[in-house]
Structures are given as C-alpha cells and as structure tokens.
Amino acid sequence: MRRVKMLCFALMGLMMAAITAVAQPATQTAEAAVSYKGYVAIAAGIGFAIAVFGGAIGQSRIGAAACEGAARNPGAAGRIQTMMILGLALIESLVLFALLVVFAVVKPIAS
C-alpha cells in the first residue's frame, strides 16, 4: 500500500511539473481571454460524475439495508419499503439538482 501511495505522489508531482513545459505564451487575442471555457466544462463534468457516483453508492446502500431489514423483520417490510422509496427519491433528486447546476454553470460560459 505504501508503494502505491508513493507512486501516486510521484506521478502527481511529475504531472504538476509538466504543466509549465506545455504552457503557451500569453497573447492579446480574444481567443486567449476565453480559453478557460473548456476547463470549466471538464470540471463541471467531473463534479457531476462525483455526484452520480455518490448517489449510486447511497442508493445501493439503502437497497441493501432495506433488504436486510425486511429479512430480519418481515412484518415491517411494508414500512421499510416506504422509507426506502422516500430515501431513493431524495437521493435521485439531489443527483438531478447537481445536473441542473452543471447546466447552469456551463451554459453561460458557452454563450
């Protein structure tokens, strides 16, 4: 585990050092002034991917806990299912809200 961590830090340091090697000189054109648009879109996509990953993990944990709870107490399965569906709806709404935030961030920049 320690070797993997050291390798990751070494690769991160190498990538950070390589940033200056591919840097372009500053120009006075309008294209250079808005060159950050692509980076904003990439960052928004990565942020949304993290939100979806978190939502998927949360939904899977809720499903597993509901199955385990229903197996332990079959009499309460109806109440457990109702709470599970409510939790799943709330998690899905948070992921959709993250998608709307991505659209709100990327749209003004693309215009």
Side-chain angles (χ1 to χ4, degrees), residues 66 70 76-87:
R79 289 179 45 208
I80 291 172
Q81 183 180 9
T82 303
M83 289 185 285
M84 179 191 72
I85 291 172
L86 179 65

Side-chain angles (χ1 to χ4, degrees), residues 40-41 44 48 96-111:
V40 171
F48 182 64
L96 290 174
F97 180 69
L99 179 65
L100 291 177
V101 169
V102 167
F103 284 147
V105 167
V106 174
K107 179 62 177 166
I109 293 172
S111 305

Side-chain angles (χ1 to χ4, degrees), residues 4-96:
V4 173
K5 191 183 292 187
M6 288 301 289
L7 179 65
C8 288
F9 283 131
L11 287 174
M12 188 172 61
L14 182 66
M15 285 189 274
M16 290 176 72
I19 290 174
T20 57
V22 295
Q24 296 179 352
T27 59
Q28 300 299 327
T29 64
E31 183 179 324
V34 291
S35 63
Y36 65 91
K37 287 182 180 183
Y39 296 119
V40 171
I42 290 171
I46 290 172
F48 182 64
I50 292 170
V52 168
F53 180 74
I57 293 294
Q59 287 180 345
S60 65
R61 292 187 74 183
I62 284 178
C67 288
E68 184 178 340
R72 287 178 185 251
N73 189 359
R79 289 179 45 208
I80 291 172
Q81 183 180 9
T82 303
M83 289 185 285
M84 179 191 72
I85 291 172
L86 179 65
L88 291 174
L90 292 173
I91 290 172
E92 192 64 32
S93 68
L94 286 174
V95 172
L96 290 174

